Amino acid sequence: EGTVSRPLIIDGGAGDDEVIFSGAISVEDGAYIDLNLQDDDTSPGKDRVTFNGGAKVAALGDARIDVKVSQSVLVDSGSSVTATNGQITMEANRQSGQTTSGDFSGVVVKGSIATSGQGSIFISGRGGDGGAEAKGYQAGVKVQGSIVGGSAGQLVVKGLGGSSANLVNAGVDISGKITSAGASITIEALAGPANKSYGIGLRMPYGQVSAGGSGDLTVQATGAGDDCCAHYAVEMKAGSKLTADSGDVRLELEGGPSSVGLAAKEAWQ
């Protein structure tokens, strides 16, 4: 808790590192947070970053926040990570070389990530490699809270599902909201390669994605690659939405060999 008035650089090392943000933290204009636990060792370990329920991390002016870890990032319920004109980057398990094993989702947003001005948001995650005993549901990016883009800039969410053989290792899983006040939104969702069923690129059980103003919405999604069961590129259930106020909506979808690109169930938009 406090104020960051100059660049704050946080590195990890060999073994498993964990960083927890708590309380209110202001990053002054001209400063930044650079937290990179991916590039410090040949084998970076299973590194995690958590913004707990009381964390309110705010980058003012052009200040930016960069978080990169080898396992997972959790923005927990009640927490927020915000910027004005600076960039927010969160990346989990997307390091070059060996991916991190285990049963987990890459980036999980239960709280809020938002920019209020022209700042961009880049979220990228890969689910774990839990093997045959994993429970499944190892999403690359899981949005249960909200991600809100500003009036300009970009809002990009990229997810690759975990490679365990269990089910529903979606690239991106949205039950919350992704919106903007004018920034274009891009979602790239690739299902985990070894799903035994429901290898879905973009899974939306009640989720809503809406680009405001003149912003465009682009969705590029691919289902799992085998010819088994319900490997949709996109699955939309009751109440889910993919919309843009006045911009274009572009869907580039490829389902698995025996599956459709878009599976829309019940009431959707």
Side-chain angles (χ1 to χ4, degrees), residues 184-212:
S184 291
I185 299 175
T186 300
I187 297 176
E188 299 180 15
L190 179 62
N195 288 259
K196 69 180 182 182
S197 58
Y198 293 99
I200 299 166
L202 172 59
R203 179 174 180 263
M204 298 184 67
Y206 327 114
Q208 299 183 12
V209 181
S210 180

Side-chain angles (χ1 to χ4, degrees), residues 38-232:
Q38 291 181 351
D39 63 351
D40 308 298
D41 191 82
T42 304
S43 179
K46 298 180 179 181
D47 302 325
R48 299 181 296 169
V49 169
T50 299
F51 296 85
N52 73 17
K56 308 291 182 184
V57 182
L60 309 177
D62 293 328
R64 60 180 173 86
I65 300 171
D66 297 331
V67 176
K68 298 182 179 182
V69 300
S70 61
Q71 177 170 303
S72 58
V73 176
L74 170 62
V75 181
D76 210 352
S77 299
S79 66
S80 64
V81 181
T82 62
T84 305
N85 296 317
Q87 181 172 301
I88 298 174
T89 301
M90 293 194 183
E91 181 179 302
N93 197 20
R94 299 309 294 258
Q95 64 275 5
S96 60
Q98 185 175 359
T99 60
T100 302
S101 63
D103 192 357
F104 61 89
S105 293
V107 179
V108 178
V109 182
K110 296 182 178 181
S112 173
I113 299 173
T115 55
S116 58
Q118 300 182 4
S120 294
I121 299 174
F122 295 96
I123 309 293
S124 181
R126 176 182 358 219
D129 176 9
E133 301 303 316
K135 296 176 292 185
Y137 293 88
Q138 298 177 106
V141 177
K142 185 175 293 186
V143 182
Q144 298 170 320
S146 65
I147 302 176
V148 181
S151 57
Q154 304 177 65
L155 197 172
V156 179
V157 177
K158 298 182 179 182
L160 171 60
S163 59
S164 77
N166 216 318
L167 70 157
V168 199
N169 292 322
V172 177
D173 191 311
I174 305 171
S175 56
K177 295 183 178 182
I178 299 177
T179 63
S180 80
S184 291
I185 299 175
T186 300
I187 297 176
E188 299 180 15
L190 179 62
N195 288 259
K196 69 180 182 182
S197 58
Y198 293 99
I200 299 166
L202 172 59
R203 179 174 180 263
M204 298 184 67
Y206 327 114
Q208 299 183 12
V209 181
S210 180
S214 59
D216 297 328
L217 170 60
T218 302
V219 176
Q220 300 171 324
T222 304
D226 66 28
D227 59 0
C228 184
C229 321
H231 296 323
Y232 311 129

